[in-house]
Amino acid sequence: MPTLILVRHGRSTANTEGLLAGWTPGVALDERGAAQAAALPGRLAELPLAEIVTSPLQRCQETLRPLLQARPDLSPHTDERIGECHYGDWSGRKLAELKDEPLMEVVQAHPSAAAFPGGESMRAMQTRAAEAVREWNTRVERDHGADAVYLMCSHGDIIKSLVADALGLHLDLFQRISVEPCSITAIRYTRLRPFLVRLGDTGDFTSLAPREEPPGGEAEVGGGAGAP
């Protein structure tokens, strides 16, 4: 079965403003995110991509623009199932404010029980994304062969949930996974099991350096802004 390259969108204006964007329209890449997107064609230059699939949201579309310009033979497919989690009433709110919401503790410790008011549950998010990957695996293998490589550009929580699915981890453990903006995660699917062969690879180790304010124990909902 194919190998899936998962690219999280580049750093967005919502990331730098500390907002939980969700499906809020008009969330674009910031200056650093645009530079990350511009570097993507070079990082993927050796990979013969068979298909490109993207979330419909602007920040993913902008992330892929340089790659598509470098590969004019490829036309992107938009799939809403790999769009961001529907955070409902939380969308567009500051993450600093959301920390005081009782639901945030559930999101952190027991995400399989978390459902966002006016939005969707985290279980539903993972299910739709995993179903999309399985359907695209079948389609890509049928059209391009079992050794094909294809790419999906999506969002932090979506990619983390797909990694958990590939590793056979319960969704309650997915907050232990971290994927930074414009990071590359690769999963090689086989008939019996998936293999996680890359996780959150940015080629930049800045985020591992000590910080003035060490990161806390909570996962950043939506994926965070990456290295400072």
Side-chain angles (χ1 to χ4, degrees):
M1 296 179 70
T3 295
L4 169 61
I5 307 299
L6 288 161
V7 176
R8 185 184 168 198
H9 61 78
R11 197 174 75 174
S12 72
T13 53
N15 293 144
T16 49
E17 292 170 9
L19 301 176
L20 185 62
W23 285 70
T24 304
V27 176
L29 298 184
D30 67 6
E31 184 177 352
R32 180 170 178 174
Q36 291 170 333
L40 195 58
R43 294 169 65 197
L44 298 173
E46 300 302 317
L47 291 181
L49 298 175
E51 299 282 0
I52 292 180
V53 187
T54 181
S55 156
L57 295 174
Q58 179 178 337
R59 51 198 183 273
C60 287
Q61 307 274 343
E62 290 182 356
T63 299
L64 287 179
R65 191 169 296 153
L67 180 62
L68 292 168
Q69 289 173 347
R71 304 208 185 192
D73 55 315
L74 290 174
S75 297
H77 305 273
T78 299
D79 194 325
E80 291 196 357
R81 294 174 297 176
I82 62 167
E84 181 61 284
C85 184
H86 291 277
Y87 296 117
D89 298 343
W90 280 25
S91 299
R93 292 181 59 187
K94 285 194 170 292
L95 288 163
E97 297 173 358
L98 293 170
K99 287 183 178 179
D100 297 328
E101 294 280 352
L103 178 60
M104 181 59 84
E105 186 177 10
V106 182
V107 170
Q108 291 291 324
H110 190 20
S112 66
F116 296 98
E120 69 180 333
S121 69
M122 301 199 92
R123 294 190 317 279
M125 173 199 73
Q126 183 186 43
T127 297
R128 63 173 164 85
E131 286 179 350
V133 167
R134 283 165 173 76
E135 288 182 19
W136 276 101
N137 282 347
T138 300
R139 177 173 172 175
V140 169
E141 182 173 7
R142 180 197 66 204
D143 295 345
H144 303 282
D147 295 328
V149 178
Y150 74 108
L151 181 147
M152 283 185 168
C153 186
S154 188
H155 307 266
D157 281 350
I158 294 288
I159 294 173
K160 288 163 56 178
S161 75
L162 289 171
V163 170
D165 175 75
L167 292 176
L169 290 178
H170 196 282
L171 185 61
D172 285 346
L173 301 178
F174 101 124
Q175 297 289 27
R176 302 183 183 193
I177 299 165
S178 176
V179 289
E180 291 197 3
C182 224
S183 63
I184 293 173
T185 294
I187 303 171
R188 180 172 295 126
Y189 289 87
T190 73
R191 186 173 64 87
L192 296 181
R193 64 183 61 84
F195 292 91
L196 179 65
V197 292
R198 293 287 188 280
L199 175 60
D201 188 343
T202 63
D204 178 1
F205 296 101
T206 306
S207 63
L208 301 180
R211 303 184 190 181
E212 292 183 7
E213 295 184 7
E218 292 191 348
E220 296 191 62
V221 181

